Amino acid sequence: MKLKLSVIFICICLISVKLNSQNLSVDAYNVSWTEKSKIASDAMPLGNGTTGALVSVLENGHLWISVRHVDAWSEAHRLLKLSDVEVEVTPNPFKNTFKQELVLTESVIYLEGDNGFKSKIWIDKNNNIIHVENNSDSKFKINVTLHNWRKTPKLINETNLKGIPGGVTESPDVIVNGNKKAITWYHRNSSTKAFDWTLKALEIKNPEKVDNVLENRTFGATIVGDKMVNTSDTTLVSKPRKCNHLKIYTLNKRVNSAKKWLEELNAQVSKKINLKTNWENHVSWWQNFWNSSYIHLSGFKEAKQTSAGYAYTMYLNAMAGEGEFPIIWNGSMFAPDLNEVLQRNHTGIKHFKDKDHRSWGNLMLHQNVRLPFYSMNAAGQFKYTNPFINLYMRGFNLMKENTNTVFRHEGTVVRESTTLWGVIAPGVYGVNREGLEPGQQQSQWHRTHWNAGLEVAWYLSEHYDYTLDETFAKEKFIPFASEVVKFFDLHWPHKGGKLYFPDVHVLETFRKADNPMPFIAGLRSVLGRLLKLPDHLTTEADRTYWKELLARVPEIPTRDRNGTKILANAEVIKSKKANVEVAELYSVFPYHLYGVGLPDLKMAQDTYKNRTTLVDDVGGKNPKWAPGYLRGGWHPEAIMAAMVGLTDSVQKEVVWALHRPVPEQRYPGFFMSTHDGTPDVQHSSVAATALQRMILQNVNNKIILLPAFPSNWSAEFKLYAKQNTIVEGEIVNGEIKHLKVTPSKRKKDVVIGQKLEAPKPEIWED
């Protein structure tokens, strides 16, 4: 009798009580299904910042968990899925009854089935454990099967590694033999070939002193369950019970041996778990997350789906934002199986057999990688920006050495395509240097597309402006920015007393031009930011040099179009369009030289209305592949429209972009891609950033509210402004009715609308 009571008590505790939500607005965006999934990729996501999972219940009633990790990068520089786990419950609890619900405030998935069957699936925010808690009124058996497809070595020839002799071989996964009560598997990076050839191509003199962040990286998981035993190395089975707690422990770590990794994983499994306390801490974290920043719209037809799309974007940031490496742009760690979900972009609509394949491979292209991280600042998600910042800081000294070696002058050039080591990919730079000049890039797509260093420097300055972290400024922003601007100063000639950038790229769109906008706007903005720093953070010699250099930067290029003065891509364009970017508006975003509250707003607005992709008088017509691919994805025009106060344009783009589901996937927070892979985190982040800037923009020391907000929209919001400031309020029909600013001393800096009007006294809340 004592034993029975004990078992009943455990079963009741497994499905802990759902805590009351403190944020009803976010609960409105929960996702609920009453039909099972036809494919495993039709799934709901979970993530704790590093470990992730896609969870679905297939038509046969089997639960399918695709296990992910944001740092599961192989020796061939590919982000891999850990494996898939199939859970069969007998008898089938979903034969007659089925409900699957994602509750955002708890980051949990609840399942309901026949005979009172319930399952609670969650990834502990504070521990890398995927919990599957099952409970039923009647007994059931569980069979668990590991599906692992990396069984043999695989030769990888992605663009990153093009030209490396013999390619790079990705080792197979290892499934641990002889377990009696667990399924354990791992991938261990066994080769340093990609790293070795990368440094060799860049002529790094002492590669042995460089930390290879992929060397000895080992990642995998182990599965254990209540009273479960192995029937093989890849299967577990339970006896009939009314409750079962399945746990999947993940571990991603660089260790000297597989034995050491297994010891650490086993130690993790052996730790006692206080499930109730861990669950409460998990829920508390997520509720604090949702309350820390939000935008809830109302007053128009698409308000709920637009607000939901914004929330799903913030959720994507949180699920994958705490890794060692940045969120990858073409699918994050949640990329689907492209054998199930079609790739849809301008390169073709097709399937791929490799379950680890992602559209455009694993290239870390700056113009793509950067975009999710812009949505994080106004949401106060500064912790999630660290992997992006650290990527470039990791390679900073290496690119400085490469610059000094190949160009024989000081400064640092940061190129468009990078690797996890923070340096350019060898397949893009060129492993075989025959026929190339020193430092010349083999790929013609961005041979002199060297905007990345300037934009990273700009982003570092933004981070400082938001946080006022002087240690960050001294250790990262100032050293990085100083080297980048020095490169531009020393690498090019002068003409008429000004720096002259002849025959260079304008992003990817023009391959030959003089004095491109991204170089000029970037230099002006970054130098301006350096000069605005408090004097005690810089030296008088530095300030003198930066002022003198700024005086030698060319003027912002403009042009006349049908009698209207607008911003130009470059002073002179010498080639046809090869892509569909709007480089002229880089002076608006990211570099913020023009916009609401700044001079020449009309010129910036006219530029947006006559931007490169809409006209044929600069570089001719758009490329043949471009029609139908001019919005969404990596296109940042929605942000630009918000920055210049074109309310009608930005509201149209935001509403469209934040509800763009993938046809094979019902989860509305997985956004279809224009050019790349799904879920397209560039696409959703651009829309989220644009929505934030419809409500709040930082201009010099001013906080401008409602610079591009429709008069028929209403909202509740809580956003972060620069200088460690939080702004929260209520908007009704385009007017602020309630407003709170923390700290209160910044109330004096708040203005409203494009006319920069002072707030009405009655709107303030203490």
Side-chain angles (χ1 to χ4, degrees), residues 114-293:
D114 302 337
N115 300 315
F117 182 87
K118 297 183 189 306
S119 184
K120 184 173 81 173
I121 306 164
W122 54 291
I123 304 178
D124 191 334
K125 182 63 190 71
N126 303 299
N127 300 280
N128 284 313
I129 308 172
I130 303 173
H131 293 276
V132 185
E133 304 178 52
N134 304 298
N135 203 349
S136 180
D137 295 338
S138 58
K139 290 183 178 181
F140 59 89
K141 281 178 59 177
I142 285 185
N143 290 276
V144 178
T145 303
L146 174 70
H147 293 273
N148 182 280
W149 51 91
R150 292 183 295 272
K151 298 179 180 179
T152 59
K154 184 180 180 67
L155 184 64
I156 306 298
N157 283 306
E158 288 189 355
T159 302
N160 269 337
L161 312 178
K162 182 181 177 182
I164 294 179
V168 176
T169 298
E170 193 172 77
S171 59
D173 287 3
V174 175
I175 297 173
V176 176
N177 297 322
N179 279 339
K180 295 182 179 180
K181 296 182 179 180
I183 300 170
T184 305
W185 77 100
Y186 61 87
H187 180 97
R188 180 167 171 80
N189 291 346
S190 60
S191 167
T192 62
K193 189 174 182 180
F195 173 78
D196 296 340
W197 278 94
T198 298
L199 298 196
K200 183 177 180 179
L202 294 176
E203 302 178 49
I204 302 301
K205 295 176 182 177
N206 297 298
E208 70 280 358
K209 295 182 180 180
V210 180
D211 184 27
N212 178 0
V213 292
L214 295 184
E215 186 174 12
N216 292 328
R217 185 168 294 274
T218 308
F219 47 86
T222 193
I223 308 170
V224 296
D226 293 340
K227 305 295 182 181
M228 299 193 76
V229 295
N230 288 78
T231 52
S232 75
D233 292 332
T234 57
T235 55
L236 282 171
V237 64
S238 74
K239 292 181 178 180
R241 308 181 74 211
K242 288 187 177 182
C243 60
N244 184 286
H245 185 185
L246 194 69
K247 298 184 286 291
I248 305 173
Y249 292 79
T250 69
L251 179 63
N252 185 310
K253 192 170 184 180
R254 292 174 62 193
V255 288
N256 291 330
S257 68
K259 180 183 177 182
K260 176 66 174 174
W261 184 87
L262 286 168
E263 288 173 353
E264 292 200 24
L265 181 63
N266 289 333
Q268 186 178 328
V269 175
S270 299
K271 281 185 179 179
K272 284 188 176 181
I273 293 176
N274 187 325
L275 190 63
K276 182 176 182 292
T277 299
N278 288 2
W279 167 248
E280 289 174 350
N281 291 339
H282 167 87
V283 172
S284 176
W285 188 94
W286 278 104
Q287 292 187 338
N288 288 335
F289 169 80
W290 290 113
N291 285 318
S292 66
S293 178

Side-chain angles (χ1 to χ4, degrees), residues 423-491:
V423 300
I424 187 170
V428 176
Y429 182 65
V431 174
N432 182 354
R433 305 297 300 163
E434 186 177 347
L436 296 173
E437 298 176 5
Q440 186 179 35
Q441 183 172 300
Q442 189 174 69
S443 172
Q444 294 186 31
W445 273 102
H446 21 78
R447 183 164 280 177
T448 51
H449 175 356
W450 292 342
N451 176 61
L454 289 168
E455 187 169 0
V456 173
W458 165 262
Y459 190 86
L460 299 180
S461 77
E462 287 279 278
H463 184 92
Y464 168 74
D465 283 352
Y466 272 96
T467 64
L468 300 181
D469 182 343
E470 294 191 349
T471 300
F472 176 89
K474 288 187 287 189
E475 294 181 356
K476 295 184 178 180
F477 168 43
I478 297 171
F480 188 98
S482 298
E483 284 293 321
V484 169
V485 298
K486 185 186 295 183
F487 169 81
F488 279 86
D489 183 21
L490 299 179
H491 192 70

Side-chain angles (χ1 to χ4, degrees), residues 52 140 159 176 201 213 328 344 349 366 426 446 450 481 532 647 660 692 702 711:
F140 59 89
T159 302
V176 176
V213 292
I328 192 168
R344 294 176 175 87
I349 299 175
H366 173 76
H446 21 78
W450 292 342
K532 285 182 180 178
T647 304
R660 199 185 183 203
Q692 293 166 347
K702 295 293 183 184
S711 60

Side-chain angles (χ1 to χ4, degrees), residues 127 414 634:
N127 300 280
V414 179
W634 48 254

Side-chain angles (χ1 to χ4, degrees), residues 567-707:
L567 298 161
N569 283 274
E571 186 177 315
V572 181
I573 297 292
K574 301 177 179 178
S575 61
K576 293 183 177 181
K577 293 177 188 174
N579 207 330
V580 282
E581 298 151 314
V582 287
E584 68 272 43
L585 287 165
Y586 271 53
S587 55
V588 172
F589 174 82
Y591 296 124
H592 207 181
L593 295 174
Y594 299 93
V596 174
L598 293 169
D600 297 315
L601 176 60
K602 185 178 183 304
M603 180 174 67
Q605 292 175 334
D606 288 338
T607 303
Y608 184 88
K609 296 171 184 176
N610 293 274
R611 59 193 183 275
T612 303
T613 52
L614 302 184
V615 301
D616 298 338
D617 62 341
V618 176
K621 294 184 178 181
N622 293 330
K624 291 182 180 179
W625 55 262
Y629 298 98
L630 295 178
R631 63 195 301 221
W634 48 254
H635 290 272
E637 283 89 320
I639 304 173
M640 296 163 171
M643 299 295 286
V644 299
L646 291 175
T647 304
D648 290 345
S649 296
V650 66
Q651 75 175 84
K652 176 182 175 182
E653 292 303 308
V654 165
V655 169
W656 169 78
L658 287 176
H659 186 68
R660 199 185 183 203
V662 180
E664 298 94 337
Q665 296 180 290
R666 287 175 291 171
Y667 176 63
F670 286 162
F671 299 90
M672 195 164 73
S673 182
T674 296
H675 299 289
D676 305 309
T678 59
D680 191 341
V681 294
Q682 311 160 96
H683 174 93
S684 53
S685 294
V686 165
T689 305
L691 179 57
Q692 293 166 347
R693 298 190 185 193
M694 292 171 71
I695 296 173
L696 186 156
Q697 293 180 28
N698 299 274
V699 179
N700 297 320
N701 288 321
K702 295 293 183 184
I703 300 171
I704 303 180
L705 299 180
L706 311 187

